[in-house]
């Protein structure tokens, strides 16, 4: 007798837009996005700003004029959020690596704390910057 080959179930199509991530998952994705933004945009902007501030007075005046523009301030506030979120989430992940707060309830609370603290600190930086 011939045996039929076992048919493996086909993979299920996952619609990533319809999946509701829990708050710790959202914080994890934002941690990666903020790290990428800091690496791709924050470091070059920081190096350009330091170089311009250490250069001749005309270069510093040009830097001050660019950073005084409202669009530049919005970019700086976005980068400040990226830094603060990445910092706060990094502390959370260090604590999770030390097995602190790995249960479901504390993990959800710590992810909410990361979001609230990073947004509150960004608001403070934004008020001081503007």
């Amino acid at each position: 007798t011939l045996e039929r080959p076992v048919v493996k179930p086909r993979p299920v199509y996952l619609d990533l837009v319809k999946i509701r991530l829990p708050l710790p998952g959202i914080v994890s994705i934002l941690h990666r996005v903020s790290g990428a933004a800091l690496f791709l945009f924050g470091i070059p902007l920081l190096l350009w700003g330091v170089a311009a501030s250490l250069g001749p007075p005309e270069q510093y005046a040009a830097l001050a004029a660019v950073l005084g523009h409202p669009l530049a301030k919005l970019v700086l506030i976005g980068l400040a959020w990226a830094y603060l979120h990445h910092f706060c989430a990094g502390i959370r992940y260090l604590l999770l690596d030390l097995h602190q707060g790995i249960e479901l309830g504390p993990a959800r609370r710590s992810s909410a704390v990361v979001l609230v603290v990073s947004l509150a600190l960004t608001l403070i930086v934004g008020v001081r910057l503007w």
Side-chain angles (χ1 to χ4, degrees):
T1 64
L2 292 173
E3 288 189 33
R4 290 180 150 178
V6 177
V7 178
K8 293 182 181 178
R10 295 179 57 117
V12 177
Y13 171 72
L14 296 176
D15 189 358
L16 296 178
V17 177
K18 291 183 181 177
I19 293 177
R20 284 195 48 203
L21 278 176
L23 195 56
I26 293 169
V27 168
S28 175
I29 289 172
L30 288 175
H31 183 71
R32 293 167 191 253
V33 168
S34 64
L38 289 171
F39 181 75
L40 295 173
F41 304 110
I43 292 174
L45 185 64
L46 179 69
L47 291 175
W48 172 71
V50 169
S53 70
L54 296 176
E58 301 82 28
Q59 202 172 10
Y60 180 76
L63 172 69
V66 168
L67 294 181
H69 192 276
L71 185 59
K73 288 183 180 184
L74 287 176
V75 169
L76 290 177
I77 290 171
L79 287 172
W81 169 82
Y83 173 75
L84 292 166
H85 177 80
H86 199 76
F87 180 78
C88 293
I91 291 173
R92 176 180 181 263
Y93 291 126
L94 286 174
L95 291 173
L96 290 174
D97 287 343
L98 295 172
H99 301 286
Q100 300 297 316
I102 58 174
E103 294 81 24
L104 183 60
R108 286 185 176 167
R109 281 191 295 278
S110 68
S111 61
V113 167
V114 164
L115 285 177
V116 169
V117 168
S118 66
L119 289 173
L121 290 174
T122 303
L123 182 64
I124 292 169
V125 168
V127 167
R128 303 264 315 173
L129 180 67
W130 215 276

